[in-house]
Amino acid sequence: MATESLDLFEESGAPQADYVVGTVSAVFFASNDSFYKVMLVKVSETSMDWHEDEIVVTGNFADIKDDVTYRFTGKRVEHPKYGVQFQADNYQNETPTTRNGVVGYLSGDDFPGLGKKTAEKIVDALGTNAIEEILNDPAVLQPLGLSPKVSATLISQLQTNNGMEQIIIGLNGYGFGSTLAAAIYNRYQEKTLDVIHENPYQLAEDINGVSFRRADQIATQLGYEADKPERLRAGLLQTLNDLSVANGDTYTTAKPLLANALSLLENSRNVRLDPAKLADELLELAKEQKVVGDDQRIYLKTLYDAEWQIAENLQRLLKADDSPAKFNDDAIRKQLRIVEKQGDIVYDESQTAALTAAIQAKVMLLTGGPGTGKTTIIRGLVNLYARMHEVSLDINEYKEKPFPILLAAPTGRAAKRMSESTGLPAGTIHRLLGLTGREDNLDEAATNDLEGGLLIIDETSMVDVYLMKTLLRAVPVGMQVVLVGDKDQLPSVGPGQVFHDLLASDQLQKIQLDTIYRQEDGSSIIPLAHAIKSGKLPADFTKNQKDRSFIACHANQVESVIDQIVQKAHAKGFSASDIQVLAPMYRGSAGIDRLNVVLQDILNPKKSERTKEVEFRNQKFRIGDKVLHLVNSPENNVFNGDIGVITGIDLASDKHSEVKSDQLTIAFEQTEVTYARNDWNRLTLAYCMSIHKSQGSEFKMVILPMVGQYNRMLQRNLLYTAVTRAADMLILLGEPRAFEACVTSLGVNRNTTLTTRIQTVLDPDGTPAEPDEPVETTSTVETETPAPAAAPTTAAVETPEPATADGTSTDTPEPTTPTDYRLTPELVLSRKIDPMIGMQGVSPKQFMPSV
DNA sequence: CCCACATT
């Protein structure tokens, strides 16, 4: 057999990769949901300067056998915790090609009943490529007179060993590249090709990254007819996903769903389909429990359940008798004074009220804009908790037992900030729960049970419904939960607007922080932010202020105006790290990519022909460039969104170079990291960055262009987020109409029903609010918190009337069980519920695009 | 059109 190369994974971008040849003597770790493995390899040959027998090899490997010799290619890395490792990006089965090798392989453990003698006989007859010969045509064994049993074992074992390769070849035939092929194989294993033949649309349903259209192309190859029910259902699911999840909504309605699905199904095959059949398949999906209809709304089942489960888990935590220890206010104040003394801080009345409420609450929402002291409250709460409960905050004392306070955030960066501000360990929510971030289905994913007394989540506005459901499910009764966030920031990447909806439900205790502590009086940036929040630009918007100015220009002038501003600022002593240009999108003449090129030329020009420079994906990197790190690398203490400066470029082609591949060295605030060329996709120029990426950072001077070109990005919370990144100076430029468009178009406009679910579960007697006409919901919240003028107001601590702050809400009747709303097959079949899920009085004809 | 999460 020829050397087997799975060639399944991304090939190395490095000019020359190192290699290690050897056998796997132990597997230290094998991921459940990917091919990732950490293995100990007995080295027989290597290109590296390595004098030990064994080395730890990491990477993605499929079918590792302990008696097979592999050739791993990749690079040597230094893991901060585990020392030297070999990071393989490719590997091959070094299948024997010599006579002895083949004989050894065939007489090995893989082939029971086949001894050395028989193996020699086979090789003598068929040659050193005997394995390939047998696989091509098992009949070649016949003349050898092997026992039928031995011969059958031999053939089937060889086929199994090569099955994976066959499947990968099959997947390649359908046009799947290495990454997707690995994901598909991982999901179906040896059944992969059967699944695809049976129903190619299964791929679209199960595999992230396979769309309906992709599956439909395969189905066409396989001769699937256009009106097959599987096809119609797949089109409906894809459309449901496009209309809800992709927009951040948790549901859609029948009319757009059927109309869009019909056009998707018809256009991708250029056929006409019967809308009635499509409506039938929608009902079928409901019976299969893949979608749920509720009133006029249609949900993906997982999203429907997630909303209910968030509400139910909140109820579980709030209703529990196991209430947090009761303290009297005097005792709290006494301890608070000690905390103040130790922290060299004085809490004002609103902060004292906030801390006093939070220390006793089962579930507490804490919201406020930038500079309103959320971090101060978190730090104070941690210390107050330790004093009230007489627990130590020294993690060294918790070698055996769990730390009583859990701190987590949805992003690595926010977690790092949390850890820095409290001096306590903090991590991502995923890590807290033991999730890998690649789970197909958070329902099936096993999560850690949380232990401890207090859980604080920061940046809660970035948590989507799936993650919130999974998080709350893991919280034990009696653990206090404090959710901190800024409801006016950008919503989560995933579906829902959980933090907004929790606040809007009015069923949970909340603290609204309004007092601005961070900026001195006379600032006009914070009042601007508040004006934006309330939906209008201030009258002085275009007038220049001490800390803010506006320059009107058209999209094609943005480049030159920014050029001039930055030249001046640079001359005045602002460094590249002080100045941050923010923009909503990458493309276009006023997009991030273009502006980065312009800014790089001003702030870090190529000074001479000899200036070192490397090129990567249309970007040039030079020493001194400001760059953005795009993924989490906790082992280096560098996180998605961190900004650094290139301090070194080492070219492999340099005469004196000691490196084997080109390397960049980047200095971050606390650490310096070296990147081989393979890792450069983790970097991008950062003179201009997306507003989304800037969330959670602050800059001395923010330069913010806004033009009609950004069209659908022009939203209120986007502008709010950008403006609130500026600590000292804000320079706005562009088209006044674009800024107007931002404030008038509501950022928070996702269609969700979480608010209603919470109200139903926590306050079943209350007036059932009709869900969640987004405009109404938002205005409700805003009237509660009248946008303050520049004058600071106090924090409002609200305890909802029917809620359970004192843990004695036993008079609350049992909540209406959500099951009543669910469209189960039983209900459909028993005709207790009209299965037409909100389509009453609507004939499918109405969904037809008018021809 | 923008966006997060991970493994010994």
Side-chain angles (χ1 to χ4, degrees):
Chain A
M1 180 165 68
T3 301
E4 175 190 3
S5 168
L6 293 177
D7 199 19
L8 181 53
F9 306 98
E10 314 270 338
E11 78 279 15
S12 158
Q16 324 121 290
D18 277 313
Y19 65 84
V20 170
V21 179
T23 54
V24 175
S25 48
V27 176
F28 291 150
F29 171 81
S31 166
N32 288 323
D33 43 23
S34 77
F35 288 128
Y36 183 79
K37 289 180 184 64
V38 181
M39 316 182 298
L40 189 62
V41 170
K42 193 154 187 286
V43 181
S44 57
E45 190 194 334
T46 173
S47 60
M48 300 185 301
D49 190 19
W50 183 258
H51 302 291
E52 291 172 43
D53 309 348
E54 296 180 313
I55 190 168
V56 173
V57 175
T58 67
N60 295 295
F61 315 106
D63 51 348
I64 290 298
K65 299 216 172 50
D66 46 10
D67 53 355
V68 171
T69 303
Y70 294 97
R71 171 180 294 262
F72 301 96
T73 48
K75 63 180 177 184
R76 177 191 171 129
V77 293
E78 181 83 31
H79 191 287
K81 199 161 146 198
Y82 303 103
V84 175
Q85 301 185 326
F86 189 76
Q87 202 178 78
D89 44 44
N90 205 348
Y91 76 113
Q92 299 172 352
N93 184 342
E94 290 242 307
T95 316
T97 47
T98 62
R99 184 177 183 279
N100 277 344
V102 181
V103 169
Y105 174 62
L106 290 177
S107 55
D109 297 343
D110 264 5
F111 305 94
L114 213 159
K116 197 174 175 209
K117 270 229 152 103
T118 320
E120 280 172 342
K121 196 160 110 191
I122 295 171
V123 179
D124 286 341
L126 301 174
T128 50
N129 56 346
I131 294 161
E132 208 176 347
E133 299 277 330
I134 299 167
L135 281 169
N136 281 342
D137 180 13
V140 297
L141 285 173
Q142 267 169 19
L144 296 175
L146 304 176
S147 86
K149 202 178 157 196
V150 167
S151 151
T153 318
L154 173 59
I155 293 164
S156 83
Q157 193 60 39
L158 281 177
Q159 281 170 344
T160 308
N161 285 2
N162 288 274
M164 160 125 185
E165 195 179 7
Q166 297 305 313
I167 289 167
I168 298 308
I169 291 167
L171 287 171
N172 284 337
Y174 291 126
F176 291 110
S178 58
T179 319
L180 223 42
I184 295 168
Y185 180 79
N186 187 43
R187 171 82 193 203
Y188 308 118
Q189 308 285 329
E190 71 280 358
K191 297 196 184 75
T192 299
L193 296 178
D194 298 336
V195 169
I196 295 176
H197 291 150
E198 179 81 14
N199 175 15
Y201 299 103
Q202 197 66 39
L203 292 174
E205 202 173 312
D206 295 338
I207 309 290
N208 228 336
V210 180
S211 66
F212 168 80
R213 277 177 191 276
R214 190 80 186 266
D216 201 33
Q217 281 165 8
I218 296 170
T220 310
Q221 274 181 45
L222 295 172
Y224 256 66
E225 280 157 32
D227 60 350
K228 268 215 150 195
E230 290 86 348
R231 181 169 187 272
L232 302 186
R233 292 201 291 271
L236 282 164
L237 285 176
Q238 173 78 49
T239 309
L240 179 53
N241 199 71
D242 292 347
L243 286 176
S244 56
V245 184
N247 292 328
D249 300 336
T250 55
Y251 66 88
T252 183
T253 51
K255 206 167 170 176
L257 174 57
L258 289 168
N260 288 13
L262 194 63
S263 81
L264 173 68
L265 288 158
E266 291 189 336
N267 293 341
S268 70
R269 293 273 190 110
N270 201 17
V271 289
R272 289 266 149 237
L273 295 167
D274 178 3
K277 275 194 172 173
L278 190 59
D280 287 346
E281 292 309 321
L282 182 52
L283 286 179
E284 185 58 33
L285 284 171
K287 279 187 208 160
E288 287 176 8
Q289 300 239 48
K290 287 177 180 163
V291 306
V292 179
D294 180 1
D295 197 15
Q296 299 292 310
R297 297 176 296 275
I298 297 175
Y299 302 73
L300 277 178
K301 174 84 160 74
T302 50
L303 284 171
Y304 181 84
D305 288 347
E307 289 196 332
W308 275 116
Q309 287 167 14
I310 290 170
E312 285 159 359
N313 277 298
L314 287 169
Q315 152 91 353
R316 176 176 63 85
L317 298 176
L318 287 169
K319 265 199 95 175
D321 295 331
D322 197 356
S323 65
K326 294 281 287 174
F327 304 111
N328 68 45
D329 283 11
D330 283 346
I332 295 172
R333 287 202 181 236
K334 193 175 151 205
Q335 295 304 325
L336 210 45
R337 249 166 248 136
I338 301 174
V339 172
E340 285 182 322
K341 222 173 228 166
Q342 287 176 341
D344 193 22
I345 188 174
V346 177
Y347 298 118
D348 68 18
E349 222 172 288
S350 66
Q351 291 173 318
T352 303
L355 286 165
T356 308
I359 197 70
Q360 303 178 85
K362 289 179 172 172
V363 177
M364 173 64 84
L365 310 174
L366 175 63
T367 176
T372 54
K374 295 192 294 288
T375 306
T376 307
I377 298 290
I378 292 176
R379 204 186 300 131
L381 186 58
V382 164
N383 288 306
L384 181 60
Y385 183 92
R387 294 214 63 84
M388 297 306 294
H389 293 265
E390 295 174 2
V391 295
S392 165
L393 288 180
D394 182 355
I395 47 166
N396 295 318
E397 291 180 29
Y398 292 89
K399 295 256 156 68
E400 308 287 308
K401 45 190 178 169
F403 197 71
I405 300 174
L406 303 176
L407 303 178
T411 66
R413 217 179 122 68
K416 183 169 77 170
R417 276 202 318 274
M418 228 180 159
S419 176
E420 282 163 5
S421 72
T422 56
L424 296 178
T428 61
I429 298 173
H430 281 80
R431 186 171 279 220
L432 183 73
L433 295 171
L435 298 170
T436 66
R438 293 154 111 212
E439 285 78 9
D440 291 330
N441 184 343
L442 282 181
D443 266 325
E444 293 166 9
T447 53
N448 302 335
D449 290 325
L450 303 183
E451 285 180 84
L454 174 64
L455 170 67
I456 306 179
I457 303 292
D458 200 1
E459 297 285 4
T460 309
S461 62
M462 298 166 93
V463 178
D464 67 24
V465 277
Y466 291 127
L467 189 58
M468 184 57 86
K469 174 204 79 175
T470 312
L471 173 66
L472 290 179
R473 197 177 61 185
V475 176
V477 157
M479 179 183 280
Q480 291 176 258
V481 179
V482 179
L483 303 174
V484 185
D486 181 350
K487 66 179 163 57
D488 296 302
Q489 281 197 23
L490 297 163
S492 55
V493 173
Q497 43 183 10
V498 175
F499 194 55
H500 171 276
D501 289 352
L502 294 177
L503 288 160
S505 76
D506 265 334
Q507 296 299 313
L508 300 159
Q509 273 188 279
K510 54 186 166 189
I511 300 166
Q512 165 97 29
L513 299 171
D514 287 321
T515 314
I516 311 294
Y517 299 95
R518 202 184 295 167
Q519 294 198 350
E520 293 157 38
D521 287 339
S523 154
S524 75
I525 297 173
I526 293 290
L528 172 65
H530 282 293
I532 292 167
K533 224 159 77 170
S534 66
K536 52 180 186 289
L537 294 175
D540 64 6
F541 180 69
T542 57
K543 292 212 183 77
N544 286 350
Q545 318 276 321
K546 189 174 90 187
D547 58 351
R548 150 166 85 81
S549 54
F550 177 85
I551 300 157
C553 67
H554 294 295
N556 53 13
Q557 301 169 306
V558 165
E559 188 181 314
S560 88
V561 172
I562 288 184
D563 184 332
Q564 293 170 47
I565 300 167
V566 171
Q567 299 269 19
K568 274 184 197 158
H570 199 40
K572 276 186 187 166
F574 282 89
S575 71
S577 65
D578 297 334
I579 306 170
Q580 186 61 54
V581 180
L582 301 177
M585 58 193 267
Y586 287 89
R587 285 191 341 210
S589 60
I592 295 163
D593 290 333
R594 176 69 202 138
L595 294 178
N596 260 323
V597 172
V598 175
L599 289 158
Q600 186 184 32
D601 272 350
I602 305 166
L603 293 165
N604 190 31
K606 184 167 175 146
K607 293 183 185 78
S608 77
E609 272 312 301
R610 287 175 46 235
T611 306
K612 266 192 195 173
E613 184 178 84
V614 290
E615 221 176 305
F616 185 77
R617 292 192 188 167
N618 297 326
Q619 294 188 99
K620 291 181 173 120
F621 291 127
R622 301 193 270 265
I623 290 175
D625 271 334
K626 181 177 172 184
V627 289
L628 184 66
H629 183 88
L630 297 168
V631 297
N632 284 346
S633 308
E635 72 276 13
N636 293 327
N637 201 23
V638 178
F639 295 88
N640 186 350
D642 282 355
I643 291 175
V645 176
I646 299 179
T647 54
I649 298 179
D650 294 303
L651 297 174
S653 56
D654 264 12
K655 275 179 195 149
H656 317 290
S657 169
E658 290 176 9
V659 295
K660 288 184 179 166
S661 70
D662 297 347
Q663 285 188 340
L664 289 175
T665 305
I666 321 270
F668 293 94
E669 206 175 324
Q670 302 160 330
T671 175
E672 204 172 65
V673 184
T674 303
Y675 294 78
R677 198 172 260 275
N678 305 25
D679 303 326
W680 291 0
N681 56 357
R682 300 176 177 189
L683 298 169
T684 184
L685 289 175
Y687 298 105
C688 179
M689 67 194 272
S690 76
I691 297 173
H692 280 85
K693 285 273 179 203
S694 76
Q695 183 154 244
S697 301
E698 215 183 51
F699 310 95
K700 275 191 182 159
M701 174 189 281
V702 166
I703 300 174
L704 179 66
M706 212 47 87
V707 289
Q709 188 187 90
Y710 304 145
N711 52 48
R712 56 165 127 198
M713 300 298 293
L714 299 175
Q715 293 193 343
R716 186 189 293 175
N717 47 9
L718 194 87
L719 179 59
Y720 172 83
T721 302
V723 161
T724 50
R725 297 309 99 205
D728 298 339
M729 190 87 61
L730 174 64
I731 298 170
L732 306 161
L733 65 142
E735 300 158 1
R737 283 178 65 180
F739 284 92
E740 282 291 346
C742 286
V743 289
T744 48
S745 115
L746 218 43
V748 184
N749 56 357
R750 294 185 168 184
N751 291 313
T752 63
T753 42
L754 179 58
T755 301
T756 345
R757 300 310 187 217
I758 294 171
Q759 287 165 346
T760 305
V761 172
L762 291 182
D763 182 25
D765 285 344
T767 330
E770 240 329 276
D772 287 351
E773 180 52 40
V775 181
E776 277 175 33
T777 319
T778 306
S779 63
T780 311
V781 173
E782 302 231 329
T783 42
E784 274 174 10
T785 44
T793 63
T794 53
V797 181
E798 289 182 41
T799 307
E801 272 314 310
T804 51
D806 57 3
T808 55
S809 63
T810 40
D811 52 337
T812 325
E814 277 303 301
T816 323
T817 46
T819 320
D820 292 354
Y821 294 84
R822 288 184 191 167
L823 189 63
T824 60
E826 296 74 41
L827 285 170
V828 172
L829 295 172
S830 67
R831 302 186 180 226
K832 277 186 191 152
I833 280 185
D834 180 354
M836 281 307 280
I837 40 181
M839 294 192 287
Q840 298 93 332
V842 192
S843 104
K845 267 190 197 147
Q846 293 171 258
F847 309 138
M848 292 279 291
S850 46
V851 200

